[in-house]
Amino acid sequence: MPWPAFFLANEGYALAPKVDEYQMPTVWAVVSADDLTQRKPTKWAVRTGWTSSQPNHPFRGYVVRTLGYKKVVTIAMDYAFGWEQVGGFQRTFEEAGGQVVQKLWPPLGTTDFGPYLAQIKRDADAVFAVMVAASSLRFPSNIRMRG
């Protein structure tokens, strides 16, 4: 039987209990959900890639010290990957002296980001955005349209 393909963080979280129950050796090649190998690891899976929050840890001092941003709004897709990406950024950004002043969570599949863009606090220094799949193409075009 061919192995199913797991790609999204939420898919990994949903399937992890079954991986353990059936003692099914699994490779998390793409699924980057933090807890699958951290706080709630499965004995039957191996991660060959990275965790969702990991790429954002280097922002620790860069955004605050180099760019000079103190207040940031985050906008990320409303599912495990988006939450963990924002969490990794927020933790290190705030440890360096910055403050996340607002979090916006459009659902997966959002085509019009206008209502979310309209909510962004005007006194923020920057926006930290996490988009996936087609949303990563739609989001910038929504910004240009509202310029």
Side-chain angles (χ1 to χ4, degrees), residues 65-114:
R65 290 186 202 100
T66 304
L67 299 177
Y69 299 153
K70 299 288 186 193
K71 296 189 296 185
V72 170
V73 170
T74 65
I75 181 169
M77 304 314 295
D78 189 10
Y79 81 114
F81 180 75
W83 303 332
E84 292 173 356
Q85 285 269 303
V86 167
F89 170 76
Q90 182 175 4
R91 188 182 122 224
T92 59
F93 179 63
E94 290 183 348
E95 284 173 356
Q99 179 186 12
V100 171
V101 295
Q102 181 182 26
K103 296 179 187 175
L104 300 170
W105 304 103
L108 281 172
T110 296
T111 57
D112 180 9
F113 290 94

Short mmCIF file of all heavy atoms in Angstrom, two decimals, residues 65-114:
data_model
loop_
_atom_site.label_atom_id
_atom_site.label_comp_id
_atom_site.label_asym_id
_atom_site.label_seq_id
_atom_site.Cartn_x
_atom_site.Cartn_y
_atom_site.Cartn_z
N ARG A 65 16.76 45.78 16.22
CA ARG A 65 18.03 46.53 16.23
C ARG A 65 18.45 47.06 14.85
O ARG A 65 18.91 48.18 14.74
CB ARG A 65 19.13 45.65 16.81
CG ARG A 65 18.92 45.43 18.30
CD ARG A 65 20.09 44.68 18.94
NE ARG A 65 19.61 44.05 20.16
CZ ARG A 65 19.28 42.77 20.27
NH1 ARG A 65 19.39 41.98 19.24
NH2 ARG A 65 18.85 42.29 21.41
N THR A 66 18.29 46.27 13.82
CA THR A 66 18.74 46.68 12.49
C THR A 66 17.69 47.52 11.76
O THR A 66 17.99 48.57 11.22
CB THR A 66 19.12 45.46 11.64
OG1 THR A 66 20.11 44.71 12.35
CG2 THR A 66 19.67 45.88 10.29
N LEU A 67 16.44 47.03 11.77
CA LEU A 67 15.39 47.75 11.07
C LEU A 67 14.76 48.85 11.93
O LEU A 67 14.14 49.77 11.41
CB LEU A 67 14.31 46.78 10.60
CG LEU A 67 14.77 45.71 9.62
CD1 LEU A 67 13.63 44.75 9.28
CD2 LEU A 67 15.34 46.33 8.35
N GLY A 68 14.90 48.73 13.24
CA GLY A 68 14.36 49.74 14.15
C GLY A 68 12.87 49.64 14.40
O GLY A 68 12.26 50.57 14.92
N TYR A 69 12.25 48.52 14.06
CA TYR A 69 10.81 48.35 14.26
C TYR A 69 10.54 47.92 15.70
O TYR A 69 11.15 46.99 16.20
CB TYR A 69 10.23 47.31 13.31
CG TYR A 69 10.38 47.66 11.84
CD1 TYR A 69 10.43 46.65 10.89
CD2 TYR A 69 10.46 48.97 11.40
CE1 TYR A 69 10.54 46.95 9.54
CE2 TYR A 69 10.58 49.28 10.07
CZ TYR A 69 10.62 48.27 9.13
OH TYR A 69 10.74 48.56 7.81
N LYS A 70 9.61 48.61 16.33
CA LYS A 70 9.25 48.30 17.72
C LYS A 70 7.85 47.71 17.83
O LYS A 70 7.56 46.95 18.73
CB LYS A 70 9.32 49.56 18.59
CG LYS A 70 10.69 50.19 18.64
CD LYS A 70 11.64 49.36 19.45
CE LYS A 70 12.97 50.10 19.60
NZ LYS A 70 14.01 49.27 20.09
N LYS A 71 6.95 48.11 16.92
CA LYS A 71 5.56 47.64 16.97
C LYS A 71 5.22 46.98 15.64
O LYS A 71 5.33 47.61 14.58
CB LYS A 71 4.61 48.80 17.24
CG LYS A 71 4.83 49.45 18.59
CD LYS A 71 3.74 50.45 18.94
CE LYS A 71 3.74 51.62 18.00
NZ LYS A 71 2.78 52.66 18.39
N VAL A 72 4.80 45.72 15.71
CA VAL A 72 4.50 44.97 14.49
C VAL A 72 3.11 44.33 14.60
O VAL A 72 2.71 43.85 15.64
CB VAL A 72 5.57 43.88 14.25
CG1 VAL A 72 5.17 42.92 13.15
CG2 VAL A 72 6.91 44.52 13.92
N VAL A 73 2.41 44.33 13.48
CA VAL A 73 1.15 43.61 13.33
C VAL A 73 1.48 42.32 12.59
O VAL A 73 2.28 42.33 11.65
CB VAL A 73 0.13 44.44 12.50
CG1 VAL A 73 -1.08 43.60 12.13
CG2 VAL A 73 -0.27 45.70 13.26
N THR A 74 0.88 41.21 13.01
CA THR A 74 1.06 39.96 12.28
C THR A 74 -0.24 39.60 11.58
O THR A 74 -1.33 39.86 12.08
CB THR A 74 1.47 38.79 13.20
OG1 THR A 74 0.42 38.50 14.11
CG2 THR A 74 2.75 39.11 13.95
N ILE A 75 -0.11 39.04 10.39
CA ILE A 75 -1.25 38.50 9.66
C ILE A 75 -0.80 37.16 9.10
O ILE A 75 0.21 37.09 8.39
CB ILE A 75 -1.77 39.46 8.56
CG1 ILE A 75 -2.99 38.86 7.86
CG2 ILE A 75 -0.69 39.88 7.61
CD1 ILE A 75 -3.73 39.84 6.96
N ALA A 76 -1.51 36.12 9.48
CA ALA A 76 -1.12 34.77 9.06
C ALA A 76 -2.36 33.91 8.88
O ALA A 76 -3.39 34.14 9.50
CB ALA A 76 -0.21 34.14 10.12
N MET A 77 -2.23 32.92 8.03
CA MET A 77 -3.33 32.01 7.78
C MET A 77 -3.72 31.31 9.09
O MET A 77 -2.86 30.93 9.89
CB MET A 77 -2.95 30.98 6.72
CG MET A 77 -2.49 31.60 5.39
SD MET A 77 -3.52 32.94 4.72
CE MET A 77 -5.02 32.09 4.37
N ASP A 78 -5.01 31.15 9.29
CA ASP A 78 -5.57 30.64 10.55
C ASP A 78 -5.56 29.11 10.60
O ASP A 78 -6.60 28.46 10.43
CB ASP A 78 -6.99 31.17 10.72
CG ASP A 78 -7.57 30.89 12.09
OD1 ASP A 78 -6.82 30.45 12.98
OD2 ASP A 78 -8.79 31.12 12.27
N TYR A 79 -4.38 28.58 10.80
CA TYR A 79 -4.22 27.14 11.04
C TYR A 79 -2.85 26.93 11.66
O TYR A 79 -2.10 27.88 11.86
CB TYR A 79 -4.44 26.32 9.76
CG TYR A 79 -3.29 26.24 8.80
CD1 TYR A 79 -2.65 25.01 8.57
CD2 TYR A 79 -2.83 27.36 8.11
CE1 TYR A 79 -1.60 24.91 7.68
CE2 TYR A 79 -1.78 27.26 7.22
CZ TYR A 79 -1.17 26.04 7.01
OH TYR A 79 -0.12 25.95 6.13
N ALA A 80 -2.53 25.71 12.01
CA ALA A 80 -1.34 25.41 12.82
C ALA A 80 -0.06 26.07 12.30
O ALA A 80 0.69 26.67 13.07
CB ALA A 80 -1.14 23.90 12.94
N PHE A 81 0.22 25.99 11.02
CA PHE A 81 1.45 26.56 10.48
C PHE A 81 1.51 28.07 10.71
O PHE A 81 2.52 28.61 11.14
CB PHE A 81 1.58 26.24 8.99
CG PHE A 81 2.83 26.78 8.35
CD1 PHE A 81 4.05 26.18 8.58
CD2 PHE A 81 2.78 27.87 7.49
CE1 PHE A 81 5.21 26.66 7.98
CE2 PHE A 81 3.92 28.35 6.89
CZ PHE A 81 5.14 27.75 7.14
N GLY A 82 0.42 28.77 10.42
CA GLY A 82 0.38 30.21 10.64
C GLY A 82 0.57 30.58 12.10
O GLY A 82 1.34 31.49 12.42
N TRP A 83 -0.09 29.87 13.00
CA TRP A 83 0.03 30.14 14.43
C TRP A 83 1.47 29.94 14.90
O TRP A 83 2.00 30.74 15.66
CB TRP A 83 -0.87 29.24 15.26
CG TRP A 83 -2.32 29.27 14.92
CD1 TRP A 83 -3.04 30.32 14.39
CD2 TRP A 83 -3.25 28.21 15.07
NE1 TRP A 83 -4.35 29.97 14.21
CE2 TRP A 83 -4.51 28.66 14.63
CE3 TRP A 83 -3.15 26.91 15.54
CZ2 TRP A 83 -5.65 27.87 14.64
CZ3 TRP A 83 -4.28 26.11 15.57
CH2 TRP A 83 -5.51 26.60 15.12
N GLU A 84 2.08 28.86 14.45
CA GLU A 84 3.44 28.56 14.89
C GLU A 84 4.47 29.50 14.27
O GLU A 84 5.46 29.87 14.92
CB GLU A 84 3.78 27.10 14.61
CG GLU A 84 2.95 26.17 15.48
CD GLU A 84 3.10 24.70 15.15
OE1 GLU A 84 3.80 24.35 14.18
OE2 GLU A 84 2.51 23.88 15.88
N GLN A 85 4.25 29.92 13.04
CA GLN A 85 5.14 30.91 12.43
C GLN A 85 5.09 32.22 13.23
O GLN A 85 6.12 32.78 13.57
CB GLN A 85 4.71 31.18 10.97
CG GLN A 85 5.06 30.09 10.01
CD GLN A 85 6.42 30.34 9.41
OE1 GLN A 85 6.66 31.37 8.81
NE2 GLN A 85 7.31 29.39 9.57
N VAL A 86 3.89 32.69 13.53
CA VAL A 86 3.73 33.91 14.31
C VAL A 86 4.32 33.73 15.70
O VAL A 86 5.00 34.60 16.23
CB VAL A 86 2.25 34.34 14.37
CG1 VAL A 86 2.03 35.43 15.43
CG2 VAL A 86 1.78 34.83 13.01
N GLY A 87 4.08 32.57 16.30
CA GLY A 87 4.61 32.31 17.64
C GLY A 87 6.13 32.38 17.69
O GLY A 87 6.71 32.97 18.62
N GLY A 88 6.80 31.80 16.69
CA GLY A 88 8.26 31.86 16.64
C GLY A 88 8.76 33.28 16.46
O GLY A 88 9.72 33.71 17.11
N PHE A 89 8.09 34.05 15.59
CA PHE A 89 8.47 35.44 15.40
C PHE A 89 8.21 36.25 16.66
O PHE A 89 9.07 36.99 17.14
CB PHE A 89 7.71 36.07 14.23
CG PHE A 89 7.89 37.55 14.14
CD1 PHE A 89 9.06 38.09 13.65
CD2 PHE A 89 6.90 38.41 14.59
CE1 PHE A 89 9.25 39.47 13.60
CE2 PHE A 89 7.07 39.78 14.54
CZ PHE A 89 8.25 40.31 14.04
N GLN A 90 7.00 36.11 17.21
CA GLN A 90 6.62 36.93 18.37
C GLN A 90 7.56 36.69 19.55
O GLN A 90 7.98 37.64 20.21
CB GLN A 90 5.18 36.66 18.79
CG GLN A 90 4.74 37.52 19.95
CD GLN A 90 3.28 37.36 20.29
OE1 GLN A 90 2.56 36.55 19.71
NE2 GLN A 90 2.82 38.14 21.25
N ARG A 91 7.86 35.44 19.81
CA ARG A 91 8.72 35.13 20.96
C ARG A 91 10.06 35.85 20.86
O ARG A 91 10.48 36.55 21.77
CB ARG A 91 8.94 33.62 21.07
CG ARG A 91 9.66 33.27 22.36
CD ARG A 91 9.95 31.80 22.47
NE ARG A 91 11.39 31.69 22.61
CZ ARG A 91 12.14 30.83 21.99
NH1 ARG A 91 11.63 29.96 21.17
NH2 ARG A 91 13.42 30.82 22.17
N THR A 92 10.72 35.72 19.74
CA THR A 92 12.05 36.32 19.62
C THR A 92 11.98 37.83 19.44
O THR A 92 12.84 38.54 19.95
CB THR A 92 12.83 35.66 18.46
OG1 THR A 92 12.11 35.84 17.24
CG2 THR A 92 13.04 34.18 18.72
N PHE A 93 10.96 38.32 18.75
CA PHE A 93 10.80 39.76 18.56
C PHE A 93 10.58 40.45 19.90
O PHE A 93 11.19 41.48 20.20
CB PHE A 93 9.62 40.01 17.61
CG PHE A 93 9.31 41.46 17.34
CD1 PHE A 93 10.23 42.28 16.71
CD2 PHE A 93 8.09 41.99 17.69
CE1 PHE A 93 9.94 43.61 16.44
CE2 PHE A 93 7.78 43.32 17.43
CZ PHE A 93 8.71 44.12 16.80
N GLU A 94 9.73 39.88 20.73
CA GLU A 94 9.45 40.50 22.03
C GLU A 94 10.62 40.32 23.00
O GLU A 94 10.86 41.20 23.83
CB GLU A 94 8.13 39.98 22.59
CG GLU A 94 6.95 40.50 21.77
CD GLU A 94 5.58 40.11 22.26
OE1 GLU A 94 5.47 39.22 23.13
OE2 GLU A 94 4.60 40.69 21.76
N GLU A 95 11.35 39.23 22.90
CA GLU A 95 12.56 39.08 23.73
C GLU A 95 13.58 40.16 23.39
O GLU A 95 14.36 40.57 24.25
CB GLU A 95 13.19 37.70 23.51
CG GLU A 95 12.45 36.57 24.19
CD GLU A 95 13.01 35.20 23.83
OE1 GLU A 95 13.93 35.10 22.97
OE2 GLU A 95 12.52 34.21 24.39
N ALA A 96 13.57 40.64 22.15
CA ALA A 96 14.51 41.67 21.72
C ALA A 96 14.00 43.08 21.99
O ALA A 96 14.67 44.05 21.67
CB ALA A 96 14.82 41.50 20.23
N GLY A 97 12.81 43.19 22.58
CA GLY A 97 12.30 44.51 22.95
C GLY A 97 11.15 45.01 22.09
O GLY A 97 10.64 46.09 22.34
N GLY A 98 10.74 44.26 21.08
CA GLY A 98 9.62 44.67 20.25
C GLY A 98 8.29 44.26 20.86
O GLY A 98 8.25 43.60 21.90
N GLN A 99 7.21 44.64 20.19
CA GLN A 99 5.87 44.29 20.68
C GLN A 99 4.98 43.97 19.49
O GLN A 99 4.89 44.75 18.54
CB GLN A 99 5.29 45.45 21.47
CG GLN A 99 3.89 45.18 21.99
CD GLN A 99 3.27 46.41 22.65
OE1 GLN A 99 3.77 47.52 22.53
NE2 GLN A 99 2.16 46.20 23.32
N VAL A 100 4.32 42.81 19.54
CA VAL A 100 3.28 42.49 18.55
C VAL A 100 2.02 43.17 19.06
O VAL A 100 1.52 42.84 20.13
CB VAL A 100 3.09 40.97 18.39
CG1 VAL A 100 1.87 40.67 17.53
CG2 VAL A 100 4.34 40.33 17.78
N VAL A 101 1.52 44.14 18.29
CA VAL A 101 0.39 44.95 18.75
C VAL A 101 -0.96 44.46 18.24
O VAL A 101 -2.00 44.92 18.71
CB VAL A 101 0.59 46.44 18.37
CG1 VAL A 101 1.80 47.02 19.10
CG2 VAL A 101 0.72 46.61 16.87
N GLN A 102 -0.94 43.53 17.28
CA GLN A 102 -2.19 43.03 16.74
C GLN A 102 -1.90 41.75 15.96
O GLN A 102 -0.85 41.64 15.31
CB GLN A 102 -2.80 44.08 15.81
CG GLN A 102 -4.11 43.73 15.18
CD GLN A 102 -4.59 44.81 14.23
OE1 GLN A 102 -3.81 45.59 13.67
NE2 GLN A 102 -5.90 44.88 14.04
N LYS A 103 -2.83 40.80 16.02
CA LYS A 103 -2.73 39.57 15.24
C LYS A 103 -4.01 39.41 14.43
O LYS A 103 -5.11 39.49 14.98
CB LYS A 103 -2.55 38.35 16.14
CG LYS A 103 -1.26 38.34 16.92
CD LYS A 103 -1.22 37.09 17.79
CE LYS A 103 -0.03 37.12 18.72
NZ LYS A 103 -0.05 35.96 19.64
N LEU A 104 -3.86 39.17 13.14
CA LEU A 104 -5.01 38.94 12.25
C LEU A 104 -4.89 37.54 11.67
O LEU A 104 -3.80 37.12 11.28
CB LEU A 104 -5.03 40.00 11.14
CG LEU A 104 -5.14 41.45 11.63
CD1 LEU A 104 -4.91 42.42 10.49
CD2 LEU A 104 -6.49 41.68 12.28
N TRP A 105 -6.03 36.83 11.59
CA TRP A 105 -6.03 35.42 11.19
C TRP A 105 -7.04 35.14 10.07
O TRP A 105 -8.11 34.60 10.33
CB TRP A 105 -6.35 34.53 12.39
CG TRP A 105 -5.45 34.73 13.56
CD1 TRP A 105 -5.71 35.40 14.71
CD2 TRP A 105 -4.11 34.24 13.70
NE1 TRP A 105 -4.64 35.36 15.56
CE2 TRP A 105 -3.64 34.64 14.96
CE3 TRP A 105 -3.27 33.48 12.89
CZ2 TRP A 105 -2.37 34.34 15.43
CZ3 TRP A 105 -2.00 33.17 13.35
CH2 TRP A 105 -1.56 33.59 14.60
N PRO A 106 -6.73 35.44 8.82
CA PRO A 106 -7.65 35.06 7.75
C PRO A 106 -7.68 33.53 7.59
O PRO A 106 -6.65 32.88 7.76
CB PRO A 106 -7.04 35.70 6.49
CG PRO A 106 -5.79 36.38 6.90
CD PRO A 106 -5.56 36.15 8.35
N PRO A 107 -8.83 32.96 7.29
CA PRO A 107 -8.90 31.52 7.11
C PRO A 107 -8.18 31.07 5.84
O PRO A 107 -8.00 31.85 4.89
CB PRO A 107 -10.39 31.24 7.01
CG PRO A 107 -11.05 32.53 6.73
CD PRO A 107 -10.12 33.62 7.16
N LEU A 108 -7.77 29.80 5.84
CA LEU A 108 -7.19 29.22 4.62
C LEU A 108 -8.18 29.41 3.48
O LEU A 108 -9.39 29.27 3.67
CB LEU A 108 -6.92 27.72 4.81
CG LEU A 108 -5.68 27.34 5.57
CD1 LEU A 108 -5.65 25.84 5.83
CD2 LEU A 108 -4.43 27.74 4.81
N GLY A 109 -7.68 29.72 2.32
CA GLY A 109 -8.54 29.90 1.15
C GLY A 109 -9.07 31.30 0.97
O GLY A 109 -9.83 31.56 0.05
N THR A 110 -8.68 32.23 1.84
CA THR A 110 -9.13 33.61 1.70
C THR A 110 -8.72 34.15 0.33
O THR A 110 -7.58 33.98 -0.08
CB THR A 110 -8.54 34.49 2.82
OG1 THR A 110 -9.03 34.03 4.07
CG2 THR A 110 -8.89 35.95 2.63
N THR A 111 -9.65 34.77 -0.37
CA THR A 111 -9.33 35.35 -1.68
C THR A 111 -9.27 36.87 -1.62
O THR A 111 -8.57 37.48 -2.40
CB THR A 111 -10.36 34.92 -2.74
OG1 THR A 111 -11.66 35.31 -2.31
CG2 THR A 111 -10.32 33.42 -2.97
N ASP A 112 -10.00 37.46 -0.70
CA ASP A 112 -9.99 38.91 -0.56
C ASP A 112 -9.47 39.27 0.83
O ASP A 112 -10.14 39.05 1.83
CB ASP A 112 -11.40 39.46 -0.76
CG ASP A 112 -11.45 40.99 -0.63
OD1 ASP A 112 -10.39 41.64 -0.57
OD2 ASP A 112 -12.58 41.53 -0.60
N PHE A 113 -8.28 39.83 0.86
CA PHE A 113 -7.67 40.22 2.14
C PHE A 113 -8.03 41.64 2.54
O PHE A 113 -7.59 42.12 3.57
CB PHE A 113 -6.14 40.06 2.06
CG PHE A 113 -5.72 38.63 2.00
CD1 PHE A 113 -5.50 38.01 0.79
CD2 PHE A 113 -5.57 37.90 3.17
CE1 PHE A 113 -5.12 36.68 0.73
CE2 PHE A 113 -5.20 36.57 3.12
CZ PHE A 113 -4.97 35.95 1.90
N GLY A 114 -8.84 42.32 1.74
CA GLY A 114 -9.23 43.69 2.01
C GLY A 114 -9.74 43.93 3.42
O GLY A 114 -9.30 44.86 4.11
#
